[in-house]
Amino acid sequence: MVTILVNHFLGLTMTTIQASEFKAKCLALMDQVARTGETILVTKNGKPVAELRPHRPPRIKSPLGLHKGQSTILGDIIEPLGKGLWKALK
């Protein structure tokens, strides 16, 4: 039996399915999850045992180097700006 759980507080829905039915429909459920992006909760004796969710590539761990090769430095960033500009910044 397939059940749809609704959490009205968070506005979330999750489909649940018994393990025996999941075993019989596994490949079709995998296609469904890949197509819709939904998560399916697999239960055994009424208790959750697994979740089937779409694969998402891992996130980049650090933002450093994220835009490498996509920007260009124009001019000299090491030399001082000049005395007139320093006075304007005070």
Side-chain angles (χ1 to χ4, degrees):
M1 170 176 36
V2 176
T3 307
I4 298 178
L5 300 174
V6 179
N7 183 331
H8 294 288
F9 180 71
L10 297 175
L12 302 173
T13 61
M14 182 179 291
T15 303
T16 63
I17 188 168
Q18 294 175 355
S20 58
E21 188 174 354
F22 174 78
K23 182 178 176 182
K25 299 179 178 181
C26 180
L27 295 176
L29 291 170
M30 289 170 60
D31 291 338
Q32 176 184 336
V33 167
R35 185 178 63 253
T36 64
E38 70 176 327
T39 300
I40 296 178
L41 180 66
V42 181
T43 62
K44 191 171 185 180
N45 298 325
K47 297 179 183 173
V49 293
E51 286 184 357
L52 179 62
R53 65 179 79 203
H55 176 266
R56 290 188 175 80
R59 291 191 229 172
I60 295 173
K61 294 180 182 178
S62 170
L64 298 176
L66 181 65
H67 299 288
K68 185 177 181 179
Q70 296 180 359
S71 60
T72 304
I73 297 175
L74 300 175
D76 191 350
I77 61 171
I78 298 175
E79 287 295 316
L81 294 174
K83 295 181 182 186
L85 290 175
W86 282 111
K87 289 179 184 176
L89 292 173
K90 290 184 181 183

